[in-house]
Amino acid sequence: MSTDLISQLQQNSLASPNGLNQDTLAVAGRANNRKISTEGRKFTMLVNGNEVASSPVNGEMDIIFVKMAHTPCRTLYDSSYIPGKKAKIICWASDAKTPDADVKNKQAPACNQCPHSIKGAAQQCKLTWRTAVVTPNKPKELIQLILSPKSCFGDEVNGGRPFQTYIRYLAASGINNNAAVTKMYFDPAATYQKLLFSPSAPVPMELIPVLIELATSEEAQNYVKLSIYQEKEEEDMLAEPFVPNVAPVQPTTPTAPIADVVEPVLRESSVQQPQAPKADVSSIINKWSVKS
């Protein structure tokens, strides 16, 4: 390839506002999958699964919500969920209501009819809410943040709110998710991992267009979308295409308000279940201790 041709192709690539796209980076082995883990009541930055930085235990972190799934999602594993242990996902619902059309072994026509949505079920569905965020000091580096139900639903606690309650609070005040720098921290009164959110500063006006454009990027879409990889068995290669005999899921209207989502309620089992025992931070992202 001539030097002139390379130069011309590079100019075409530079015309893209976000540089190399995710397809090019992924195939070239240069994609960086960034994720925030909240295990151990601390914020840990993972890049391609490797820890690169962490906050103190019960620390706090400033973020900006760039993109959010409009609803939570559900995933059911083939065994009880154990943190740190891989398990196969056998059923899932992108809207937390109805199994996706490509699920081969649907457990029920709807999530609210599923035996795995009963409290105390051996294989209980895991509900999460997927978001894409940035930090104020690196506003062009998207990070995936996946929230548990305890961090999504509930009431205000001393000025802090779970995720959906917080977004509703912003909306009621006429504030978009990307207009506020949000303080994220662990509920000090909770014995389990529960995140709370509160506004800490306005996002600089000049940064708003950048965040709006970033929200439409392929990377942002991938971070908030539930994508399940299914290994194709040999017999499936020869079988007739599977057409599920279920009513099609109605597409979610992009403009549907997030307030329409209500907290999922697990059904009570008829079997008596044993009761389990009940069991200001000042650090910000700039104070994270980088692992050597």
Side-chain angles (χ1 to χ4, degrees), residues 155-166:
D155 299 325
E156 175 188 352
V157 180
N158 297 324
R161 296 170 174 83
F163 169 68
Q164 188 191 51
T165 311
Y166 172 64

Side-chain angles (χ1 to χ4, degrees), residues 69-268:
H70 290 187
T71 65
C73 61
R74 285 186 179 274
T75 49
L76 175 67
Y77 293 83
D78 61 357
S79 59
S80 295
Y81 174 71
I82 301 175
K85 181 180 178 181
K86 288 186 177 181
K88 183 180 179 181
I89 297 176
I90 58 176
C91 190
W92 58 94
S94 296
D95 61 358
K97 296 178 180 178
T98 308
D100 286 10
D102 55 345
V103 176
K104 295 179 181 178
N105 185 21
K106 296 177 175 64
Q107 305 295 298
C111 295
N112 62 4
Q113 302 172 27
C114 181
H116 303 294
S117 66
I118 296 175
K119 287 182 179 179
Q123 293 175 255
Q124 191 168 302
C125 236
K126 185 181 180 185
L127 186 142
T128 55
W129 206 316
R130 293 168 174 258
T131 71
V133 305
V134 296
T135 58
N137 59 329
K138 292 186 178 180
K140 292 186 178 181
E141 285 193 2
L142 278 171
I143 313 167
Q144 186 181 53
L145 174 64
I146 301 178
L147 302 170
S148 70
K150 291 181 178 66
S151 298
C152 292
F153 308 104
D155 299 325
E156 175 188 352
V157 180
N158 297 324
R161 296 170 174 83
F163 169 68
Q164 188 191 51
T165 311
Y166 172 64
I167 297 300
R168 285 176 171 174
Y169 166 73
L170 293 181
S173 303
I175 302 170
N176 282 321
N177 58 279
N178 61 3
V181 175
T182 296
K183 181 175 73 172
M184 174 173 64
Y185 60 99
F186 294 93
D187 182 353
T191 56
Y192 46 83
Q193 289 183 182
K194 176 185 177 182
L195 294 176
L196 296 175
F197 304 89
S198 64
S200 63
V203 170
M205 289 297 295
E206 62 272 16
L207 190 56
I208 297 293
V210 176
L211 298 176
I212 292 174
E213 183 176 352
L214 196 58
T216 64
S217 69
E218 182 183 3
E219 185 179 16
Q221 298 291 338
N222 289 340
Y223 276 167
V224 303
K225 179 182 177 182
L226 178 64
S227 299
I228 306 297
Y229 172 75
Q230 299 183 82
E231 294 182 357
K232 198 165 186 65
E233 299 178 0
E234 185 176 352
E235 57 267 26
D236 290 342
M237 302 294 289
L238 304 175
E240 291 294 325
F242 171 71
V243 180
N245 187 24
V246 295
V249 179
Q250 295 300 318
T252 302
T253 305
T255 56
I258 199 170
D260 287 343
V261 181
V262 296
E263 178 177 0
V265 178
L266 292 174
R267 294 178 289 119
E268 296 288 349

